[in-house]
Amino acid sequence: GGADGDGDGDGRLSLAETIPLEETFPEMRLEDGASGGKLRGAGYDSRIDDVSSQVPQGHDTPMVPNLGSSSGTRSVGSGGSRSMQSQEGKESHHRGSLEGGDIGDDRYGMQRRASGTSARGSLTLERANAHANRSSFDAFQKALEDQAGAHQRRLAYHEEERLRGESNVFRDSQNVQDYQEYPKDVEFLMALGVPKQLCRDAWMLTVLPPQSPAPAHMLSKLWGHSIEESHACMTALADLGVMCVAQLGGQLWGLPRERFLQQLQLHLLQERPTVSFHRCLVNGYAREVWTKRASLSKLGAGEELDSTDGGQEGLEPESEEPHYLIHDGQKLAFLLMDVEDDGYIVNNLVYHLVGARLHGVVRRLLLNPAWLERKVMLSRSASSLDASLIFADFRSYLMLYSDNDVKLVLEALQLSMAALKQCPVPGLLQTQVTGRLIAAPLIVREPWMQVKYHASSKSMEMRASSRKESIMALPVLNPCLDQAGGVQRSCLKCGHCRPPSRGSGCSESSVASASSASSASSASSGAKSDIVSNISISGYVGVSHVVVLPTTNGAMEAVSAASDGSLTLWDLEIGDSINVLWAHRAPVTGLAVTSDGSLVVSASSDGMIRAYSLDRGSLLRSFGSPKNPVVHMVLDPHGRFVVTANQHGELVTWDMVSASAAHTHQTNSNVTCLVLSPCAEYAVAGTQDGEIVGVSVETGATAFLLKGHTSAVTRIIAASECKRIFSASHDRDLRAWYRVRSSGSPPMSDVMTNSGSVVSMHLTRNHRTALCGMDTGNIAVWDIATKTCMAVLEGGHAGPVTCVTMSYDENTVLTAGFDGTTIVWTISGGFIRALEGHSGAITSLSTLSRNGFAITGSEDGSVRLWDTKACESHTSCWHSGVVRALTCGGSGIVVTVGDDCVARVWNAGLGEHLRSYLNHKSSIRWCFQSTDGYRILTASPDRQISVWDPRSGNMLYGVAAKSGSRVKSLSASADLTMAVSCLFDSTVECWDIVSGRVVWVIQRAGQMTGHESAVNDVQMSADGQLIVTASKDCTARIWNTSSRQCKHVLVGHEDSVIGMVVEQASRTLVTYSLDHSLIVWDLDSGKRISRAKFKSPISRIAMSINGRIAVALSNACINLIDLHSGDIQEVPSLHNGDITDLAFSKDGNYLISSSWDCSIKVIDLTRGCVRGIAMLDSPITCFALDNMHLVAGMDRGTVAFIDVGGIMQGDGN
């Protein structure tokens, strides 16, 4: 904030003047302007109101105000929030539609939302609306500073008089009607010094979102003036102190003064005029588009727009004149999709449509791919995608209606945000959302499936040119992406970047808390952050805690804490953040909320404990000691006190009212876990030496001490007023303590020993069953009364079980592990489903009161919402492990194999799963298809080789599994009658697969008859006549299967030869080595053709039929070697992770690459650019090209069928 003056007297802000902080955030007003003064303002928590925050000397108290307007600056007529309206106005808004204004609820099967949105939702919408205009606001402020002292742009006085006396807008009948209907409002405006001729214009400024400058072009539509008249009006209002003006982008912009709007909005409580004001604005833009179309003969000069829906969704005319041309909601939406962006309207169109009660038009926009793609492109800055600008439109609509169709599109957008952020490609939104709506109803899916959906002429031209010159988004044909309405409902990425300070002496109080998770930095500083980013400036930002908020109105909200010290309040229903609080400068180690969900308290390794109001996001208390980092924290449910454990083993009870330490208790060793008793009388701590200490929060004295564990206590659950305590330890014991507080006899415990160290524990509400998650990946289910293990849930996790809980109805068990997987079990140990998506260890797992929903937080920086009871029939065809290999031929059949020991047959054209082959006993690593496509060879490391018919699934012939060393590498002839295998003991064998016999042992284990060291790889030529082996002895050898002799020894590498490719058509062999070199050999003569060396290790190579070699390096770069000219050029791959596979198209003009960054790129070698991209939800392990379809296997077992015909078909490939 700056000076709180009236400017320089001409109605404009002076050079030093900005909007004061207390004007924008009245609840954050400080008593004396000091950061440590008393907090003043309405709405504070009654328990700790008007109490000084006691902060250790030398430590700042960060004041984190809400971005956007407070309750005193909310727009009266905004569609998103009406908290400043009278209660009668609110009820009127929800009772029915203004005549002709709203659509009928039964028209689209929509149901009005009663009260399912939390009170924070309205404030969040206002923050989002303010944030949507943040860039223009900052640019406007800068323009004011640049133009300070040079504001000589106002018109002459007689021109203003002419405007006031002759403007047809001022003499409009509706204007007179407004004056007659609301005379007190006009008198109030005139009392503020506004002339009667300008009252309507000043009044209409109340429809603007908070902190939102408006261009003259927009104000001319709102007021109904010409541009010249609008300039004069803006200047006149600026002279009166109503607004400030500045030149920005070649036109005049205006910003209403906050103080004027506050006074006006506190007085004007009627809703009817603001609705008509919103409609005037919407109509003005619609008329402009209609006029342009008519002039271009797109609608025809004499064509009348009929009124089929008329009063239901259109704009009702004010008079006999054709002032309002649009009477049909569908055509209105059609026109508004082509509205030209003037820097304001595209960001705020839905805001004004909701304010105008044109909810049917809003619905059509939110379901329209062209409009959403336009919003996505507009929301994208130079470095990030601001998702909150898109979600704000959905929030404003879903706060009013419960609309399943719109919710499905919103979920598809949420799941697509990571891909949209990573690859700013035109059309990627359509392909991503289409791929996530495959299981959705046809009415939702159909607009997205159309290749040529409605778009403006400019959008269509852009898309057409992108198909020729730029990157195209490749459509996914099958439901391999996370489906909207499926198990994973949303993926909320934290990954915030802490906003930089605005000066060397700037405290956190100068940095506003972000309006949403998408932007936590000040736009004036140029810093950017994004909701979908996993990486902060310093690296990965992990989620350490997730707490579900208690609600009574059906809303789903949660708070998450991240390792960057931030707290994020999430609206799980909308899938967006409500607020971001920059609470700490170090990782958060404790997080808790009060029982009413109004207060959140966090503790950090920076030693500070901070309390925030969740309703406003304002800091209420900050206390602690930077010298004593906090490792654990518990909060009284009523917010009276906090108990913390620091790294020195001290338990400190803090009084929230005085913000001071009430008691300190020293334990014998470091505290490993901390809980609060149900009665909130005792803090119970587990220690490193196995002790359990109960401390009275009233006196700080030791209430009880339990000894029995021989190792660190990992989990504690206190029950029955601390008369019973359950504890788990690294010593594998689960102990049920009783007679804890009995004075007559010492405490006793029942011991239940597990098979591994207990990492996590959960207890049912009746205290009869305990669940113990162990470091072995198993979960034990114990009956407390009988001390018997009822079941062991095993085989699900590949590492320690970090979290274990039960569904709200306690019918199912949910476990989460270090492997990033959440698994749903039956209580008896039956596997139900695995919830996959996290790429890091899961740190938090909670179930919601809405039965079947769960929320997880992970070290990968994401918070994910799951519907564990959602039905996904298509998941039964996926692999349950990594897809290791796949093959496709000309018969239209695709076969995929993986770690689940299953080979699956697919229809290549439709992506439809046909059948499964289940003959293998171990993971299948190799898969080959015969030239006719009717025989499939699959092989496992246990030496089993099977050749079977993909049409029937019947085995034709093969080799049985054998014990001993496992297979390291395998290759087969094109007719699948011969194969060569290399074992880990360096045994190389040639097989006759039909008879199942070894026909030639090229090299035995321990007998280096050929190579002098271990063999790394083997390859067989397509005709089966030649075998090539690569070895650690820096050589490769070519063997003849007919003579059974070594034909050539290939010498040239300086280190171990790790891989090779045999090209049958050109009779060429390419080998590559750990020395970063690649050598091309003549397969028949054994002569070296060429050699190349690179700066980075080689990971993959591929050869084309026209003499090109693609080399993928470990730094994700691709180099192209031309064997004819010997030239080496770098190919733009645009990958952000290791490349996992490479392949050429049939004619060699296109190169396809896949990566661990979940993307597939199609590179046009003729133009030297990336032509196509497909973004998936999991790292790609392998792929194959089948005519116009590309089939990709993924790390989590899904198989994607991607259409590449849009690129290759046009070039004849």
Side-chain angles (χ1 to χ4, degrees):
D4 186 13
D6 294 329
D8 53 5
D10 63 349
R12 301 176 177 85
L13 291 178
S14 63
L15 177 64
E17 182 185 3
T18 59
I19 298 176
L21 183 66
E22 59 269 19
E23 286 188 19
T24 309
F25 315 112
E27 71 271 21
M28 299 304 299
R29 198 172 294 126
L30 297 178
E31 190 174 80
D32 300 318
S35 61
K38 294 183 179 181
L39 300 172
R40 296 296 183 188
Y44 278 99
D45 192 290
S46 59
R47 295 182 300 273
I48 50 178
D49 191 18
D50 293 339
V51 179
S52 300
S53 297
Q54 298 186 6
V55 185
Q57 188 174 4
H59 194 84
D60 293 333
T61 302
M63 300 301 301
V64 189
N66 300 323
L67 181 62
S69 65
S70 65
S71 59
T73 59
R74 297 170 187 170
S75 293
V76 176
S78 68
S81 174
R82 307 179 188 275
S83 39
M84 285 300 299
Q85 300 174 18
S86 64
Q87 185 63 31
E88 293 79 12
K90 292 182 181 180
E91 295 174 355
S92 171
H93 178 75
H94 288 283
R95 273 199 303 268
S97 60
L98 196 65
E99 59 251 55
D102 203 353
I103 63 174
D105 293 349
D106 58 345
R107 179 181 176 88
Y108 297 99
M110 304 184 314
Q111 297 180 354
R112 279 193 178 273
R113 193 178 291 277
S115 60
T117 304
S118 77
R120 287 181 280 268
S122 298
L123 186 60
T124 303
L125 184 60
E126 294 182 9
R127 291 194 188 108
N129 289 328
H131 178 63
N133 300 281
R134 188 59 186 257
S135 59
S136 60
F137 176 80
D138 291 330
F140 182 85
Q141 292 283 47
K142 186 178 185 302
L144 284 177
E145 296 175 1
D146 294 342
Q147 298 171 23
H151 295 300
Q152 303 298 328
R153 303 191 64 262
R154 52 186 178 271
L155 301 177
Y157 177 78
H158 67 276
E159 286 293 323
E160 297 181 12
E161 289 297 314
R162 183 193 65 78
L163 172 65
R164 296 172 183 175
E166 300 179 6
S167 174
N168 59 352
V169 177
F170 296 143
R171 297 194 306 237
D172 188 272
S173 59
Q174 177 67 31
N175 191 44
V176 177
Q177 180 182 352
D178 287 342
Y179 289 161
Q180 295 174 353
E181 188 173 354
Y182 307 102
K184 294 184 179 180
D185 298 333
V186 177
E187 293 176 2
F188 177 79
L189 287 169
M190 295 179 66
L192 293 178
V194 180
K196 185 175 182 180
Q197 295 87 346
L198 291 175
C199 282
R200 184 173 184 267
D201 293 343
W203 192 353
M204 295 179 102
L205 294 177
T206 58
V207 304
L208 294 179
Q211 295 186 4
S212 302
H217 179 265
M218 173 267 179
L219 292 175
S220 68
K221 303 291 184 298
L222 177 65
W223 291 334
H225 301 344
S226 65
I227 293 294
E228 293 77 12
E229 291 172 337
S230 298
H231 285 178
C233 225
M234 294 169 67
T235 306
L237 291 174
D239 290 339
L240 295 170
V242 173
M243 66 188 309
C244 47
V245 297
Q247 279 285 345
L248 186 63
Q251 64 173 321
L252 194 65
W253 285 61
L255 176 67
R257 290 183 179 271
E258 291 291 326
R259 181 158 296 178
F260 171 80
L261 287 182
Q262 288 178 16
Q263 293 174 335
L264 189 61
Q265 290 168 350
L266 287 172
H267 177 79
L268 302 176
L269 298 180
Q270 290 81 7
E271 186 180 6
R272 170 67 171 85
T274 57
V275 174
S276 64
F277 295 163
H278 284 288
R279 294 186 175 189
C280 288
L281 178 63
V282 172
N283 178 75
Y285 278 102
R287 283 174 54 87
E288 182 180 53
V289 178
W290 187 91
T291 303
K292 288 183 179 180
R293 288 190 176 183
S295 64
L296 296 174
S297 300
K298 290 186 177 180
L299 292 178
E303 182 177 351
E304 291 287 340
L305 291 177
D306 59 338
S307 177
T308 55
D309 287 339
Q312 283 296 320
E313 297 174 88
L315 293 172
E316 187 177 356
E318 289 188 22
S319 64
E320 298 284 336
E321 299 180 37
H323 185 68
Y324 288 93
L325 296 177
I326 312 303
H327 304 289
D328 184 274
Q330 183 175 1
K331 292 179 180 177
L332 178 59
F334 184 82
L335 289 173
L336 292 177
M337 278 186 286
D338 277 347
V339 67
E340 184 176 352
D341 185 27
D342 53 8
Y344 174 88
I345 190 58
V346 175
N347 270 341
N348 299 281
L349 179 58
V350 171
Y351 171 85
H352 290 293
L353 286 172
V354 173
R357 293 188 178 178
L358 299 173
H359 302 138
V361 180
V362 176
R363 186 179 192 272
R364 288 187 174 97
L365 290 179
L366 296 180
L367 294 178
N368 186 274
W371 174 258
L372 293 179
E373 183 165 348
R374 189 177 183 187
K375 287 284 290 188
V376 167
M377 300 306 292
L378 184 68
S379 303
R380 187 180 298 280
S381 65
S383 60
S384 64
L385 174 65
D386 198 343
S388 66
L389 303 187
I390 306 168
F391 293 156
D393 292 349
F394 285 89
R395 181 187 297 276
S396 60
Y397 177 79
L398 292 175
M399 284 176 64
L400 302 175
Y401 289 97
S402 177
D403 192 319
N404 290 332
D405 294 347
V406 174
K407 189 65 171 69
L408 283 174
V409 174
L410 174 60
E411 288 185 11
L413 278 173
Q414 294 163 350
L415 295 171
S416 304
M417 276 300 150
L420 296 175
K421 186 261 178 182
Q422 184 176 345
C423 296
V425 178
L428 183 61
L429 173 70
Q430 182 196 6
T431 59
Q432 281 284 309
V433 175
T434 303
R436 300 182 191 280
L437 292 176
I438 293 178
L442 182 61
I443 190 175
V444 181
R445 186 173 73 249
E446 187 175 17
W448 294 90
M449 296 179 64
Q450 298 174 2
V451 177
K452 295 182 179 179
Y453 51 76
H454 166 73
S456 64
S457 56
K458 290 185 178 181
S459 299
M460 293 302 293
E461 291 174 3
M462 178 190 69
R463 290 177 62 82
S465 62
S466 70
R467 289 189 176 94
K468 297 178 181 179
E469 300 174 2
S470 303
I471 303 177
M472 289 179 56
L474 303 176
V476 179
L477 304 178
N478 67 321
C480 63
L481 301 177
D482 291 327
Q483 295 296 294
V487 173
Q488 184 174 180
R489 305 306 291 267
S490 60
C491 175
L492 312 171
K493 297 293 183 68
C494 291
H496 309 117
C497 296
R498 178 172 291 278
S501 300
R502 299 193 184 189
S504 58
C506 181
S507 68
E508 290 184 24
S509 61
S510 64
V511 183
S513 63
S515 65
S516 66
S518 62
S519 179
S521 61
S522 170
S524 62
S525 65
K528 304 291 182 182
S529 64
D530 199 308
I531 188 176
V532 298
S533 174
N534 259 348
I535 303 175
S536 69
I537 296 176
S538 60
Y540 284 97
V541 175
V543 176
S544 56
H545 300 77
V546 178
V547 177
V548 178
L549 298 184
T551 57
T552 58
N553 56 4
M556 294 194 302
E557 296 176 341
V559 180
S560 66
S563 58
D564 61 355
S566 65
L567 308 180
T568 306
L569 176 61
W570 299 102
D571 184 339
L572 302 179
E573 191 72 40
I574 302 298
D576 191 16
S577 68
I578 296 177
N579 207 352
V580 178
L581 309 172
W582 296 104
H584 302 279
R585 291 285 180 179
V588 178
T589 55
L591 182 69
V593 297
T594 53
S595 57
D596 59 0
S598 63
L599 189 72
V600 60
V601 179
S602 62
S604 169
S605 55
D606 62 5
M608 301 304 298
I609 302 98
R610 292 195 168 113
Y612 287 87
S613 167
L614 283 176
D615 291 333
R616 300 178 317 279
S618 52
L619 179 66
L620 303 180
R621 291 291 178 269
S622 180
F623 49 88
S625 173
K627 296 181 180 180
N628 299 311
V630 178
V631 292
H632 297 285
M633 181 205 74
V634 290
L635 171 68
D636 171 49
H638 303 291
R640 298 169 298 178
F641 59 86
V642 172
V643 181
T644 61
N646 58 39
Q647 67 176 8
H648 305 300
E650 294 177 340
L651 295 179
V652 183
T653 303
W654 302 87
D655 183 9
M656 288 287 289
V657 176
S658 63
S660 60
H663 308 288
T664 301
H665 180 90
Q666 180 67 53
T667 61
N668 295 328
S669 61
N670 292 335
V671 177
T672 55
C673 55
L674 179 66
V675 298
L676 196 65
S677 65
C679 55
E681 294 182 7
Y682 304 98
V684 185
T687 63
Q688 187 71 33
D689 58 6
E691 294 181 347
I692 300 174
V693 183
V695 178
S696 171
V697 298
E698 186 70 26
T699 64
T702 301
F704 52 85
L705 179 63
L706 308 178
K707 295 183 178 181
H709 288 291
T710 59
S711 186
V713 179
T714 56
R715 292 291 187 273
I716 294 176
I717 297 177
S720 304
E721 306 299 332
C722 273
K723 294 178 181 178
R724 297 197 69 186
I725 290 179
F726 301 86
S727 62
S729 169
H730 281 313
D731 62 6
R732 303 187 177 188
D733 287 345
L734 166 65
R735 288 179 177 262
W737 303 83
Y738 55 96
R739 293 195 311 213
V740 173
R741 296 168 54 203
S742 175
S743 58
S745 57
M748 302 292 292
S749 66
D750 294 331
V751 181
M752 290 151 276
T753 303
N754 296 273
S755 60
S757 297
V758 181
V759 180
S760 55
M761 180 177 63
H762 177 79
L763 194 67
T764 57
R765 285 190 284 268
N766 59 12
H767 303 161
R768 295 178 180 178
T769 305
L771 306 173
C772 296
M774 292 171 278
D775 60 353
T776 59
N778 298 335
I779 303 95
V781 182
W782 290 93
D783 186 314
I784 301 297
T786 62
K787 297 185 290 184
T788 58
C789 182
M790 298 186 296
V792 176
L793 317 182
E794 55 186 353
H797 294 285
V801 179
T802 56
C803 307
V804 57
T805 187
M806 300 189 74
S807 60
Y808 189 76
D809 58 7
E810 294 192 340
N811 288 331
T812 56
V813 177
L814 286 83
T815 61
F818 193 80
D819 57 1
T821 303
T822 302
I823 299 179
V824 185
W825 314 78
T826 63
I827 192 66
S828 59
F831 176 87
I832 297 179
R833 73 190 339 160
L835 310 178
E836 297 178 331
H838 286 295
S839 58
I842 297 177
T843 57
S844 180
L845 169 64
S846 301
T847 54
L848 282 71
S849 58
R850 185 178 298 184
N851 197 27
F853 280 81
I855 185 171
T856 56
S858 169
E859 290 181 352
D860 63 5
S862 68
V863 176
R864 295 178 187 256
L865 179 67
W866 310 89
D867 183 357
T868 62
K869 294 189 175 182
C871 179
E872 287 191 347
S873 57
H874 59 272
T875 57
S876 60
C877 64
W878 303 137
H879 291 276
S880 59
V882 179
V883 178
R884 294 295 180 179
L886 58 86
T887 179
C888 54
S891 61
I893 292 177
V894 176
V895 179
T896 59
V897 299
D899 286 348
D900 57 356
C901 313
V902 179
R904 298 186 181 273
V905 183
W906 310 78
N907 183 307
L910 302 176
E912 179 184 2
H913 180 253
L914 301 179
R915 63 188 57 87
S916 301
Y917 182 74
L918 308 173
N919 191 41
H920 287 270
K921 304 300 182 186
S922 65
S923 171
I924 307 176
R925 298 298 181 93
W926 297 274
C927 180
F928 304 94
Q929 191 170 7
S930 63
T931 52
D932 59 6
Y934 298 124
R935 282 176 296 166
I936 302 296
L937 183 149
T938 53
S940 300
D942 61 2
R943 301 196 226 182
Q944 179 181 350
I945 302 175
S946 299
V947 178
W948 45 280
D949 188 341
R951 296 167 294 182
S952 63
N954 297 328
M955 181 174 175
L956 303 177
Y957 49 85
V959 179
K962 294 180 175 61
S963 59
S965 182
R966 298 173 68 82
V967 178
K968 183 179 185 180
S969 176
L970 186 139
S971 180
S973 61
D975 59 3
L976 304 185
T977 60
M978 296 183 64
V980 59
S981 64
C982 170
L983 306 183
F984 276 92
D985 62 6
S986 294
T987 298
V988 180
E989 300 172 324
C990 182
W991 294 83
D992 182 342
I993 307 176
V994 178
S995 63
R997 296 184 301 107
V998 176
V999 296
W1000 179 25
V1001 179
I1002 301 175
Q1003 181 168 301
R1004 295 185 183 275
Q1007 300 178 9
M1008 301 302 176
T1009 56
H1011 290 285
E1012 298 176 358
S1013 187
V1015 178
N1016 293 322
D1017 193 13
V1018 293
Q1019 290 287 331
M1020 176 175 280
S1021 61
D1023 56 9
Q1025 296 298 313
L1026 298 177
I1027 293 176
V1028 185
T1029 57
S1031 172
K1032 290 184 178 180
D1033 63 4
C1034 309
T1035 68
R1037 291 175 179 260
I1038 301 177
W1039 308 81
N1040 189 297
T1041 56
S1042 299
S1043 62
R1044 300 186 181 180
Q1045 297 293 326
C1046 179
K1047 187 177 180 181
H1048 303 290
V1049 178
L1050 310 179
V1051 180
H1053 290 290
E1054 300 173 357
D1055 205 336
S1056 175
V1057 183
I1058 56 176
M1060 56 191 165
V1061 171
V1062 176
E1063 177 54 48
Q1064 180 71 22
S1066 61
R1067 307 294 294 177
T1068 304
L1069 169 68
V1070 182
T1071 59
Y1072 58 97
S1073 168
L1074 288 179
D1075 62 3
H1076 305 180
S1077 68
L1078 177 147
I1079 301 179
V1080 183
W1081 312 85
D1082 184 284
L1083 193 60
D1084 296 322
S1085 64
K1087 294 183 179 180
R1088 186 170 72 178
I1089 299 176
S1090 63
R1091 184 179 187 272
K1093 192 167 185 177
F1094 303 92
K1095 296 181 179 180
S1096 300
I1098 300 172
S1099 59
R1100 296 277 176 174
I1101 61 173
M1103 288 189 65
S1104 68
I1105 62 173
N1106 55 3
R1108 289 173 171 173
I1109 301 175
V1111 183
L1113 305 179
S1114 60
N1115 59 1
C1117 293
I1118 299 177
N1119 286 267
L1120 193 65
I1121 303 175
D1122 192 327
L1123 293 180
H1124 302 294
S1125 63
D1127 295 337
I1128 301 177
Q1129 61 178 354
E1130 185 172 342
V1131 178
S1133 67
L1134 305 181
H1135 283 298
N1136 297 320
D1138 292 341
I1139 296 174
T1140 57
D1141 209 351
L1142 280 176
F1144 283 93
S1145 60
K1146 291 183 179 179
D1147 63 355
N1149 291 330
Y1150 290 89
L1151 176 66
I1152 302 100
S1153 61
S1154 64
S1155 170
W1156 280 103
D1157 64 2
C1158 308
S1159 70
I1160 294 178
K1161 309 287 176 67
V1162 179
I1163 305 170
D1164 188 338
L1165 300 179
T1166 304
R1167 295 180 176 90
C1169 62
V1170 176
R1171 284 291 308 282
I1173 179 173
M1175 293 297 303
L1176 304 176
D1177 291 333
S1178 179
I1180 297 101
T1181 56
C1182 54
F1183 70 84
L1185 188 62
D1186 177 68
N1187 295 326
M1188 295 297 104
H1189 298 112
L1190 190 146
V1191 186
M1194 284 171 276
D1195 181 65
R1196 67 179 185 185
T1198 52
V1199 180
F1201 289 80
I1202 303 168
D1203 184 4
V1204 294
I1207 296 177
M1208 299 184 180
Q1209 194 170 12
D1211 295 340
N1213 290 292

